[in-house]
Every structure is written in C-alpha cells, then in structure tokens.
Amino acid sequence: MSEFRGDRELHDGDVQELNDMSKEMEKMVDVMENVSVQFAWMAYDMVVLRSSPDVRESIRKLEDEFLQCKTLLETTCVEAIGRPEK
C-alpha cells in the first residue's frame, strides 16, 4: 500500500514510521504537559508560602496535628487488635 503525499509516494514502511513518530511525539507532549502542571503548582505554592507567613505556620500546625492523630490511631488499632474478643 502506498499513499501519495506531495511530490513523492509514501510506502508502507514510511507510513508506519510516521505513525510511530506521531505516537512518540504524543507521549512526549503528555510528559511535558504533566511537567508543566507540576511546575505551575510548585510556583503557586512558593508564591503563597513566601507571601503569607501565616499559611506556612498553618500548614506546619496541620502537619503536626495529622502526625499526632495518625500516631493515636495506630496505637489505638494496635491495642484493639491485641485485646481478646468479647
């Protein structure tokens, strides 16, 4: 099977190569889009954290509370597992 494009024919191997290149370029565009989104979120986080010290302190407090809650839940679960059933 050949296709005519411009001033020359594309043969099966050429068409397959173009299809492969197209798929590879789509994958590369997807990767770059993901990197761009991650970069945008990082930039946003930096601006928010640097422009408002209250946000940084709030995040630190939330992290501390989360860790305390997690520790309490883990301890409670371990104790509950160790208790005999009634």
Side-chain angles (χ1 to χ4, degrees), residues 4 7 13-14 19 25 48 51 67 73 75:
F4 181 74
D7 58 350
D14 295 332
N19 287 336
M25 287 178 65
V48 169
S51 63
L67 293 174
L73 283 172
T75 303

Side-chain angles (χ1 to χ4, degrees), residues 6 31 34-35 43 49 52 58-59 64 69 76 80:
V31 169
N34 290 333
V35 168
L49 290 175
S52 177
S58 294
I59 290 173
D64 290 345
C69 185
T76 304

Side-chain angles (χ1 to χ4, degrees), residues 9-52:
E9 284 186 22
L10 292 178
H11 298 283
D12 289 340
D14 295 332
V15 172
Q16 184 61 42
E17 185 176 349
L18 287 173
N19 287 336
D20 292 345
M21 286 174 50
S22 177
K23 289 177 186 176
E24 191 63 32
M25 287 178 65
E26 285 180 33
K27 289 178 188 176
M28 291 171 68
V29 167
D30 285 342
V31 169
M32 291 308 298
E33 286 175 350
N34 290 333
V35 168
S36 297
V37 168
Q38 289 175 357
F39 178 75
W41 277 112
M42 287 173 58
Y44 173 80
D45 288 345
M46 286 179 63
V47 168
V48 169
L49 290 175
R50 290 179 187 228
S51 63
S52 177

